[in-house]
Amino acid sequence: DTAVSQTPKYLVTQMGNDKSIKCEQNLGHDTMYWYKQDSKKFLKIMFSYNNKELIINETVPNRFSPKSPDKAHLNLHINSLELGDSAVYFCASSQDGRKETQYFGPGTRLLVL
Amino acid sequence: RKEVEQDPGPFNVPEGATVAFNCTYSNSASQSFFWYRQDCRKEPKLLMSVYSSGNEDGRFTAQLNRASQYISLLIRDSKLSDSATYLCVVFSYSSASKIIFGSGTRLSIRP
Protein backbone atom coordinates (compact mmCIF):
# COMPACT_ATOMS: atom_id res chain seq x y z
CA ASP A 1 0.00 0.00 0.00
CA THR A 2 1.28 3.45 -0.89
CA ALA A 3 1.80 5.51 2.26
CA VAL A 4 1.58 8.96 0.65
CA SER A 5 -0.06 9.16 -2.75
CA GLN A 6 -0.49 12.06 -5.13
CA THR A 7 -2.58 12.51 -8.23
CA PRO A 8 -1.95 13.21 -10.97
CA LYS A 9 1.64 12.11 -11.47
CA TYR A 10 2.05 14.34 -14.52
CA LEU A 11 0.17 17.50 -15.38
CA VAL A 12 0.65 19.46 -18.59
CA THR A 13 -1.50 22.54 -18.96
CA GLN A 14 -1.73 25.95 -20.53
CA MET A 15 -0.89 29.25 -18.87
CA GLY A 16 -3.90 30.82 -17.18
CA ASN A 17 -5.62 27.53 -16.36
CA ASP A 18 -6.65 26.43 -12.85
CA LYS A 19 -5.55 23.00 -11.66
CA SER A 20 -5.59 20.88 -8.51
CA ILE A 21 -3.23 18.27 -7.15
CA LYS A 22 -4.53 15.78 -4.60
CA CYS A 23 -2.62 14.16 -1.78
CA GLU A 24 -3.63 11.41 0.58
CA GLN A 25 -1.74 9.65 3.35
CA ASN A 26 -2.76 6.40 5.04
CA LEU A 27 -0.19 6.56 7.83
CA GLY A 28 -2.47 8.17 10.40
CA HIS A 29 -0.17 11.19 10.58
CA ASP A 30 -1.31 14.53 11.94
CA THR A 31 0.81 16.80 9.76
CA MET A 32 0.95 17.19 5.98
CA TYR A 33 3.08 19.40 3.76
CA TRP A 34 3.40 20.72 0.24
CA TYR A 35 6.83 21.33 -1.27
CA LYS A 36 7.93 22.73 -4.61
CA GLN A 37 11.12 21.47 -6.29
CA ASP A 38 12.23 23.68 -9.14
CA SER A 39 14.47 22.93 -12.11
CA LYS A 40 17.57 23.52 -10.00
CA LYS A 41 16.35 20.78 -7.65
CA PHE A 42 15.88 23.21 -4.78
CA LEU A 43 13.16 21.82 -2.50
CA LYS A 44 11.16 24.51 -0.74
CA ILE A 45 8.28 24.15 1.70
CA MET A 46 5.07 25.90 0.72
CA PHE A 47 2.50 24.91 3.35
CA SER A 48 2.07 22.68 6.35
CA TYR A 49 -1.17 21.58 8.00
CA ASN A 50 -1.54 19.94 11.40
CA ASN A 51 -4.90 18.31 12.01
CA LYS A 52 -6.46 20.40 9.25
CA GLU A 53 -5.01 23.66 10.60
CA LEU A 54 -2.47 25.73 8.69
CA ILE A 55 0.80 25.93 10.68
CA ILE A 56 3.36 26.90 8.04
CA ASN A 57 2.54 29.25 5.23
CA GLU A 58 5.63 30.35 3.39
CA THR A 59 5.67 33.25 1.00
CA VAL A 60 3.93 31.82 -2.02
CA PRO A 61 1.59 33.64 -4.41
CA ASN A 62 -2.01 33.61 -3.24
CA ARG A 63 -2.84 31.80 -6.47
CA PHE A 64 -1.82 28.72 -4.49
CA SER A 65 -4.46 27.58 -2.02
CA PRO A 66 -4.16 24.44 0.08
CA LYS A 67 -7.27 22.67 1.31
CA SER A 68 -7.41 20.00 3.97
CA PRO A 69 -10.84 18.33 4.14
CA ASP A 70 -9.55 15.94 6.81
CA LYS A 71 -6.18 15.11 8.29
CA ALA A 72 -5.51 12.38 5.73
CA HIS A 73 -5.85 14.73 2.77
CA LEU A 74 -4.15 17.93 1.71
CA ASN A 75 -4.96 19.19 -1.76
CA LEU A 76 -3.30 22.02 -3.61
CA HIS A 77 -5.26 24.26 -5.93
CA ILE A 78 -3.44 26.61 -8.26
CA ASN A 79 -5.24 29.44 -10.05
CA SER A 80 -4.09 31.26 -13.18
CA LEU A 81 -1.08 29.05 -13.79
CA GLU A 82 2.13 30.76 -14.89
CA LEU A 83 5.20 29.43 -16.69
CA GLY A 84 7.21 29.76 -13.46
CA ASP A 85 4.89 27.34 -11.72
CA SER A 86 6.44 24.50 -13.70
CA ALA A 87 8.12 22.27 -11.14
CA VAL A 88 7.73 19.03 -9.25
CA TYR A 89 5.31 19.33 -6.32
CA PHE A 90 5.79 16.91 -3.45
CA CYS A 91 3.31 16.18 -0.73
CA ALA A 92 4.64 14.79 2.56
CA SER A 93 3.35 13.78 5.96
CA SER A 94 4.78 13.30 9.44
CA GLN A 95 3.43 12.25 12.79
CA ASP A 96 3.50 15.60 14.52
CA GLY A 97 5.44 18.10 12.41
CA ARG A 98 8.36 18.42 14.78
CA LYS A 99 10.99 15.78 15.16
CA GLU A 100 9.36 13.07 13.15
CA THR A 101 10.42 11.73 9.81
CA GLN A 102 8.61 13.12 6.82
CA TYR A 103 7.31 10.64 4.26
CA PHE A 104 7.07 12.02 0.75
CA GLY A 105 4.68 11.22 -2.04
CA PRO A 106 6.05 10.36 -5.50
CA GLY A 107 5.65 13.92 -6.76
CA THR A 108 3.51 15.63 -9.39
CA ARG A 109 5.41 16.94 -12.40
CA LEU A 110 3.67 20.11 -13.53
CA LEU A 111 4.52 21.67 -16.87
CA VAL A 112 2.88 24.95 -17.80
CA LEU A 113 3.03 25.81 -21.50
CA ARG B 1 24.02 33.99 3.47
CA LYS B 2 21.58 31.16 2.72
CA GLU B 3 19.82 29.65 5.72
CA VAL B 4 21.09 26.18 4.83
CA GLU B 5 24.05 25.66 2.52
CA GLN B 6 25.53 22.56 0.96
CA ASP B 7 28.32 22.01 -1.51
CA PRO B 8 26.39 21.00 -4.66
CA GLY B 9 29.15 18.68 -5.86
CA PRO B 10 29.15 16.51 -7.80
CA PHE B 11 31.41 14.30 -5.74
CA ASN B 12 32.70 11.55 -7.98
CA VAL B 13 34.44 8.82 -6.00
CA PRO B 14 35.42 5.18 -6.63
CA GLU B 15 33.53 2.33 -5.06
CA GLY B 16 34.88 1.53 -1.61
CA ALA B 17 36.01 5.09 -0.92
CA THR B 18 35.04 7.14 2.09
CA VAL B 19 33.30 10.41 1.35
CA ALA B 20 32.06 13.19 3.60
CA PHE B 21 30.00 16.28 3.09
CA ASN B 22 28.93 19.15 5.30
CA CYS B 23 25.87 21.31 5.58
CA THR B 24 25.99 24.69 7.31
CA TYR B 25 22.99 26.48 8.81
CA SER B 26 22.60 30.09 9.86
CA ASN B 27 19.89 29.93 12.55
CA SER B 28 21.51 29.10 15.87
CA ALA B 29 18.05 28.29 17.29
CA SER B 30 17.61 25.35 14.90
CA GLN B 31 16.59 22.26 16.78
CA SER B 32 16.31 19.19 14.58
CA PHE B 33 18.51 17.99 11.78
CA PHE B 34 18.20 15.24 9.21
CA TRP B 35 19.86 13.83 6.13
CA TYR B 36 17.59 12.77 3.29
CA ARG B 37 18.52 10.99 0.10
CA GLN B 38 16.91 11.70 -3.26
CA ASP B 39 17.41 9.48 -6.29
CA CYS B 40 16.95 10.89 -9.78
CA ARG B 41 13.28 11.65 -10.50
CA LYS B 42 12.21 10.19 -7.16
CA GLU B 43 10.97 11.59 -3.88
CA PRO B 44 13.29 12.36 -0.95
CA LYS B 45 13.59 9.62 1.67
CA LEU B 46 14.97 9.86 5.17
CA LEU B 47 18.51 8.56 5.47
CA MET B 48 19.07 9.40 9.12
CA SER B 49 18.35 11.88 11.87
CA VAL B 50 21.28 13.78 13.30
CA TYR B 51 21.67 13.74 17.08
CA SER B 52 23.78 16.04 19.21
CA SER B 53 26.06 13.21 20.26
CA GLY B 54 26.51 11.99 16.69
CA ASN B 55 25.05 8.77 15.40
CA GLU B 56 25.92 5.89 13.15
CA ASP B 57 23.83 3.62 10.97
CA GLY B 58 25.92 0.97 9.28
CA ARG B 59 28.28 2.70 6.87
CA PHE B 60 26.76 6.12 7.55
CA THR B 61 27.79 8.49 10.32
CA ALA B 62 26.12 11.82 11.04
CA GLN B 63 27.56 14.54 13.25
CA LEU B 64 26.22 17.83 14.56
CA ASN B 65 28.50 20.72 15.51
CA ARG B 66 26.33 23.37 17.16
CA ALA B 67 29.23 25.70 17.90
CA SER B 68 30.16 25.96 14.24
CA GLN B 69 26.59 25.40 13.05
CA TYR B 70 27.08 22.54 10.67
CA ILE B 71 26.09 18.93 10.25
CA SER B 72 28.08 16.32 8.41
CA LEU B 73 27.53 12.99 6.74
CA LEU B 74 30.27 10.40 6.34
CA ILE B 75 29.82 7.40 4.07
CA ARG B 76 32.34 4.58 4.44
CA ASP B 77 33.00 1.79 1.94
CA SER B 78 30.78 3.50 -0.62
CA LYS B 79 28.63 1.35 -2.92
CA LEU B 80 27.37 2.07 -6.42
CA SER B 81 23.88 2.25 -4.92
CA ASP B 82 24.95 5.23 -2.79
CA SER B 83 24.87 7.41 -5.91
CA ALA B 84 22.18 9.98 -5.23
CA THR B 85 21.65 13.55 -4.05
CA TYR B 86 21.94 14.04 -0.30
CA LEU B 87 19.79 16.75 1.24
CA CYS B 88 20.27 18.19 4.70
CA VAL B 89 17.16 19.38 6.51
CA VAL B 90 16.98 21.84 9.37
CA PHE B 91 13.94 22.38 11.59
CA SER B 92 13.36 25.42 13.78
CA TYR B 93 10.44 25.51 16.23
CA SER B 94 10.45 29.13 17.32
CA SER B 95 7.36 31.30 16.98
CA ALA B 96 7.20 30.38 13.32
CA SER B 97 8.04 26.79 12.55
CA LYS B 98 10.49 26.53 9.73
CA ILE B 99 11.64 23.56 7.72
CA ILE B 100 14.52 24.23 5.37
CA PHE B 101 16.04 21.81 2.91
CA GLY B 102 19.53 22.34 1.60
CA SER B 103 19.96 22.36 -2.15
CA GLY B 104 21.61 18.96 -2.03
CA THR B 105 25.01 17.42 -2.67
CA ARG B 106 25.23 15.12 -5.65
CA LEU B 107 27.27 11.96 -5.14
CA SER B 108 28.32 9.65 -7.93
CA ILE B 109 30.09 6.38 -7.15
CA ARG B 110 32.08 4.88 -10.02
CA PRO B 111 33.00 1.19 -10.35
Side-chain angles (χ1 to χ4, degrees), chain A:
Chain A
D1 280 343
T2 306
V4 182
S5 58
Q6 294 178 230
T7 53
K9 205 167 180 182
Y10 299 95
L11 186 52
V12 181
T13 188
Q14 300 281 344
M15 245 174 28
N17 283 351
D18 302 338
K19 290 292 177 187
S20 291
I21 307 172
K22 294 187 176 182
C23 178
E24 176 181 2
Q25 53 95 3
N26 62 8
L27 297 166
H29 287 166
D30 288 339
T31 306
M32 296 184 73
Y33 313 81
W34 276 109
Y35 288 87
K36 177 181 179 180
Q37 189 167 42
D38 60 26
S39 56
K40 293 181 181 170
K41 309 299 182 191
F42 190 54
L43 193 67
K44 189 162 184 184
I45 190 164
M46 300 172 73
F47 303 102
S48 173
Y49 270 71
N50 182 271
N51 266 321
K52 303 195 309 174
E53 278 190 44
L54 183 67
I55 55 169
I56 294 177
N57 184 6
E58 292 295 316
T59 307
V60 299
N62 57 15
R63 299 181 295 105
F64 290 79
S65 51
K67 286 197 172 42
S68 182
D70 55 62
K71 74 173 195 177
H73 296 83
L74 181 62
N75 303 325
L76 184 66
H77 188 77
I78 316 171
N79 288 329
S80 304
L81 278 155
E82 299 178 357
L83 296 177
D85 297 334
S86 297
V88 182
Y89 291 84
F90 287 102
C91 176
S93 74
S94 68
Q95 183 55 50
D96 68 5
R98 289 192 160 238
K99 297 181 186 175
E100 301 298 326
T101 302
Q102 291 186 55
Y103 293 84
F104 283 78
T108 295
R109 282 154 182 81
L110 171 65
L111 178 61
V112 182
L113 302 173

Side-chain angles (χ1 to χ4, degrees), chain A residues 93 100-104, chain B residues 34-38 44-48 73 85-89 91 101:
Chain A
S93 74
E100 301 298 326
T101 302
Q102 291 186 55
Y103 293 84
F104 283 78
Chain B
F34 302 84
W35 283 104
Y36 276 72
R37 169 197 170 127
Q38 186 173 24
K45 290 184 179 174
L46 180 73
L47 180 67
M48 57 199 303
L73 179 67
T85 297
Y86 291 83
L87 306 165
C88 70
V89 185
F91 275 59
F101 275 71

Side-chain angles (χ1 to χ4, degrees), chain B residues 28-99:
Chain B
S28 58
S30 299
Q31 289 150 297
S32 296
F33 307 88
F34 302 84
W35 283 104
Y36 276 72
R37 169 197 170 127
Q38 186 173 24
D39 293 295
C40 189
R41 298 183 67 78
K42 296 285 189 181
E43 71 273 22
K45 290 184 179 174
L46 180 73
L47 180 67
M48 57 199 303
S49 304
V50 186
Y51 302 124
S52 297
S53 52
N55 47 299
E56 194 174 302
D57 183 1
R59 299 181 293 108
F60 299 84
T61 301
Q63 298 272 0
L64 166 62
N65 185 319
R66 283 197 184 272
S68 302
Q69 293 182 206
Y70 72 87
I71 63 173
S72 63
L73 179 67
L74 178 82
I75 306 175
R76 286 182 300 279
D77 187 24
S78 52
K79 313 286 184 198
L80 294 175
S81 57
D82 294 334
S83 297
T85 297
Y86 291 83
L87 306 165
C88 70
V89 185
V90 176
F91 275 59
S92 302
Y93 307 126
S94 54
S95 56
S97 294
K98 292 198 80 166
I99 303 171

